[in-house]
Amino acid sequence: MQTEQEELVQEGGLLDSVRASLSDSSDPRAPWVLALALRRKGTVHRDMGAVHRDMGVVSRDCDIGSTLLQCLALRRYSESTASLLEAVDLCASCSLDTDELKVERILCLCELSGSLDYMGNMEQGISATEQAVSLARSFYGAKTSNMVTVLCLTTLGDHVKNRDHTNALALYMEALSMRKEVLGLRHTKVAMSLQQCGMSLRGLQRYDEAEEMLNQSLAIRVDALGEYHPLVANSQRQLADLYRACGKNEQSQQCLRRLLSIAPQIGWGPGHKKVQAAARDLADLVRKDEDENEAAALEAKYVNVMSS
């Protein structure tokens, strides 16, 4: 049975119907509308690819099944990239000079950068995002706070963070300032920016500053979403990683235990990959405290079960 996403992007499906109806249109808005459809098609294909990739990781014990799923994921990423490249080209060549078209071009470039990154073309992804940032600053103004520029900044930060935490931190801090100005201090998107800043500060070994930002992010999420929410669990994970990085193993254990206590309330069973990762790390930490019994119990309950 096809999913809604599969029906949307299948050959002859809704998005292909939109394309066919616009291909011979003389309406000057047709390229813009087609770019909207292609952006949607590109993001759906990328999401489907991510699902296949994750299924391949889970199926790693079956080499053939895992390989097939990974190949299918790459095919989806390639289809996504092709659709988004076409959308970007349509926006760039369209004769219209409207604000909507300019914003669409920026959004298409951001989405394209994500698909290129999934394909392993990091440099091209960074180039696309840098172009999006430049266009956003030109359109909105370099000092104007808005969510499109924030999207561009955080996307670029995500691309460069693994090799340049200093650059990533500057991008995340600018996005944080904009989100605070537009959304207020206690919005969940502000919490996301605080977490992104905290993770880059951890990468720079500025542990005290990282702890402050990650705890601020956690507090906002608990206030806005309640204790039992996946984003709260994610905050606990990031704090656990920070504490472990700076040698505070007791605090890291506390965060991992909180994550494991939250997990059943948010539908994360013992086989969930994030639960298993937390249990595995907690087992390593308690083993360092020479508590082999608890480590073995954690592995039996969480680690030595089928992933989901």
Side-chain angles (χ1 to χ4, degrees), residues 235-263:
S235 286
Q236 296 291 358
R237 172 80 251 191
Q238 296 304 327
L239 279 165
D241 290 345
L242 168 67
Y243 289 132
R244 188 169 189 176
C246 61
K248 297 180 178 180
N249 289 347
E250 183 177 348
Q251 291 94 321
S252 183
Q253 287 186 43
Q254 291 173 355
C255 293
L256 292 171
R257 293 183 196 280
R258 291 191 192 107
L259 189 159
L260 293 176
S261 70
I262 292 169

Side-chain angles (χ1 to χ4, degrees), residues 126-137:
I126 290 174
S127 177
T129 321
E130 288 176 338
Q131 187 179 355
V133 171
S134 177
L135 289 171
R137 292 193 194 282

Side-chain angles (χ1 to χ4, degrees), residues 71-93:
C71 289
L72 186 54
L74 285 174
R75 176 185 168 187
R76 294 299 189 191
Y77 296 149
S78 179
E79 291 169 332
S80 171
T81 300
S83 293
L84 291 164
L85 276 169
E86 185 177 356
V88 169
D89 289 343
L90 279 168
C91 291
S93 61

Side-chain angles (χ1 to χ4, degrees), residues 220-235:
I220 292 171
R221 285 174 168 172
V222 171
D223 286 347
L225 306 169
E227 184 70 32
Y228 300 109
H229 192 279
L231 289 176
V232 174
N234 185 258
S235 286

Side-chain angles (χ1 to χ4, degrees), residues 5 43 61 75 78 85 88 93 96 116 166 206 280 304:
Q5 285 188 327
T43 56
D61 291 336
R75 176 185 168 187
S78 179
L85 276 169
V88 169
S93 61
L96 284 179
L116 288 167
T166 299
R206 292 163 59 178
R280 189 179 295 111
N304 301 326

